[in-house]
Amino acid sequence: MTSNLPIDGRRLWDDLIHLAEITDPAKPYTRRSFSPLFDEGRLWLRQRFEAAGLETRIDAAGNLIGRRAGSEPAAGTIMIGSHSDTVPSGGRFDGTAGVLAALEIARSIAQSGTALRHNLEVIDFLAEEPSEFGLSCIGSRGMAGVMEERMLAYTDPSGEVLSHAIDRVGGNVSALATARRDDIKAFFELHIEQGLVLQDGKIDVGIVTAIVGITRIEVVFKGSADHAGTTPMHLRRDAFTPAAKTAVFVDRVARELVARNAGLFVATIGIASVAPGASNVVPQEARIIIDARSENRALMDEFLARLDTETAAFAKESRTERAVFARLSDTNPTACDAGLRELLRDSARALGFSSTDIASGAGHDAAFVARIAPSAMVFIPCRDGKSHAPEEWAEPDALAAGTAVIAEAVLRFDRLDA
Ligand SMILES: [Zn+2]
């Protein structure tokens, strides 16, 4: 374990392993938001926050927050954190690494006797992963003031209403507006990369440039169900043919956009179905869903325009109809704050760690916090890019390095304009 760091990597690691053990024993590692195990994890976290001398509360949006007031409280707040909930059969690092890194930073700064000018807050955002209510980033949405009324009425399979569930974990939906913050001067989130860039490049930390925007498009082609043996090729109206051409097109254009080096772009067709779905029947209907992600909205707009034109053309060529071309969801990319990125880069250099710019292909709480405050993220390498699985792994030294970089950046930020 690297020693001369501004944090205690051993203590951080022990915390991480301890929280990971609060799991459904039959499905490690599972600590779903709003479940009894989630409450248990939070109770333990709360005790750890308090043991670190943090004044601890749950805000109206259900976020667990530990705070130490600064010497100049009017200077505003530096916030650090992530989420403690997991996907079913997830890992030990996604989210929890960021919460416990934040705790370790607060603890180390206090123990070093350094008095920050800013208030320092450590946060565990409520339900970052898609919850049983079909919604993700519940706490950070609430903090950003973008939780919609209709979302609060979502129900889980047991019939519980989301607003009730938020109250049940200590939030207060009737006062949700109080969760919205205007005092955060900087937000930092540490997270495992969930990809291979850092491991392959043997780089200590990734400094996130932007969190991708995600657009999901549903396309349905309609043709005619005919006998696969007796219908000649030139008389067919095969709905799968334009869908297959679309798949080839999506792959080709995505690679073309990547080659422009104008930011991350990825596109996937993860859902495809044909009806009626018999080996001896020409498909009457084909439905695909395209998930496209980019940190550059211009690339996304070009992709969507070309997808629209080409899918219409593919339908025409195969004498089918493009019955549906719908945006199921569409979010813009979120840029991380340039000043905080610079600070993180300098901090990494000062501590002797290598760093690289990297886009986040996954969503994070920081994307919501960025709506109300300058926000930045540090990625640490994770083994073989594996995440949302029990094999998820980050080395103790990697976790310590990423945490130390944020600790250093917090100290530097606190001294700016002093
Ligand atoms: Zn996460």
Side-chain angles (χ1 to χ4, degrees):
M1 185 81 59
T2 318
S3 51
N4 57 347
L5 292 179
I7 56 113
D8 183 338
R10 179 80 237 176
R11 183 169 57 182
L12 165 57
W13 186 257
D14 289 346
D15 275 351
L16 186 114
I17 295 304
H18 190 107
L19 183 54
E21 293 306 318
I22 304 177
T23 173
D24 179 344
K27 276 197 299 178
Y29 295 90
T30 303
R31 197 171 45 257
R32 296 290 288 153
S33 52
F34 304 105
S35 70
L37 279 167
F38 177 75
D39 289 341
E40 197 185 323
R42 273 231 164 147
L43 182 64
W44 180 80
L45 268 177
R46 186 177 192 124
Q47 289 163 355
R48 295 301 281 167
F49 283 14
E50 283 167 357
L54 300 171
E55 198 180 301
T56 305
R57 68 185 179 106
I58 291 178
D59 73 4
N63 301 306
L64 176 68
I65 300 174
R67 174 184 172 97
R68 178 174 292 111
S71 61
E72 299 169 30
T77 301
I78 301 172
M79 182 178 273
I80 326 168
S82 191
H83 60 95
S84 70
D85 64 316
T86 73
V87 297
S89 299
R92 288 166 283 186
F93 299 84
D94 177 351
T96 57
V99 175
L100 295 169
L103 169 63
E104 178 53 36
I105 291 166
R107 210 159 37 192
S108 299
I109 291 176
Q111 284 182 353
S112 72
T114 309
L116 295 182
R117 294 165 52 232
H118 294 82
N119 311 304
L120 183 64
E121 291 193 9
V122 173
I123 187 161
D124 169 27
F125 287 108
L126 177 62
E128 190 271 348
E129 304 287 3
S131 60
E132 306 301 332
F133 298 88
L135 189 67
S136 61
C137 296
I138 289 173
S140 48
R141 261 176 226 273
M143 179 170 285
V146 294
M147 176 69 83
E148 298 170 33
E149 212 51 53
R150 63 183 180 94
M151 294 172 174
L152 291 168
Y154 289 175
T155 54
D156 73 357
S158 79
E160 186 179 27
V161 178
L162 176 57
S163 58
H164 177 263
I166 294 173
D167 286 356
R168 180 165 57 74
V169 299
N172 181 3
V173 168
S174 64
L176 194 58
T178 63
R180 206 197 135 102
R181 301 284 294 268
D182 57 9
D183 62 314
I184 304 170
K185 302 301 178 201
F187 171 70
F188 297 99
E189 179 172 6
L190 175 141
H191 208 280
I192 54 168
E193 181 198 343
Q194 305 176 285
L196 293 161
V197 174
L198 299 176
Q199 177 181 289
D200 286 359
K202 296 192 166 52
I203 299 162
D204 296 316
V205 293
I207 299 182
V208 177
T209 51
I211 298 163
V212 291
I214 307 175
T215 306
R216 293 203 180 93
I217 306 280
E218 178 187 32
V219 188
V220 178
F221 296 101
K222 284 212 163 115
S224 173
D226 291 303
H227 195 291
T230 60
T231 314
M233 295 310 288
H234 72 282
L235 290 181
R236 287 173 186 227
R237 297 177 58 225
D238 184 336
F240 182 63
T241 305
K245 287 181 177 174
T246 301
V248 174
F249 170 80
V250 163
D251 183 73
R252 180 169 60 75
V253 174
R255 287 167 197 273
E256 181 192 319
L257 295 176
V258 169
R260 287 191 201 160
N261 290 318
L264 184 143
F265 187 93
V266 287
T268 307
I269 299 179
I271 293 180
S273 60
V274 291
S279 63
N280 60 351
V281 182
V282 174
Q284 178 175 34
E285 184 180 295
R287 174 176 182 265
I288 52 177
I289 294 188
I290 300 146
D291 173 304
R293 302 175 180 222
S294 184
E295 64 177 308
N296 180 341
R297 186 69 209 190
L299 292 182
M300 181 65 78
D301 287 339
E302 178 181 334
F303 175 76
L304 295 174
R306 289 170 68 180
L307 184 69
D308 188 4
T309 307
E310 292 302 311
T311 51
F314 295 151
K316 207 163 169 207
E317 281 164 26
S318 53
R319 304 193 310 128
T320 60
E321 181 202 345
R322 191 186 68 177
V324 175
F325 185 87
R327 275 184 212 199
L328 300 181
S329 61
D330 191 5
T331 59
N332 280 318
T334 306
C336 290
D337 183 78
L340 295 186
R341 285 172 51 202
E342 174 95 54
L343 212 54
L344 288 167
R345 245 191 319 269
D346 291 347
S347 300
R349 199 178 305 118
L351 293 170
F353 294 120
S354 54
S355 71
T356 188
D357 281 350
I358 186 170
S360 171
H364 293 291
D365 289 309
F368 283 97
V369 183
R371 293 167 180 242
I372 52 164
S375 299
M377 290 190 79
V378 166
F379 278 174
I380 59 170
C382 63
R383 188 189 286 164
D384 300 332
K386 275 235 177 306
S387 181
H388 287 187
E391 307 91 273
E392 191 177 86
W393 182 259
E395 293 298 333
D397 281 349
L399 177 61
T403 305
V405 169
I406 295 181
E408 177 67 21
V410 165
L411 294 172
R412 286 173 182 234
F413 182 87
D414 190 60
R415 291 195 295 263
L416 294 175
D417 314 316

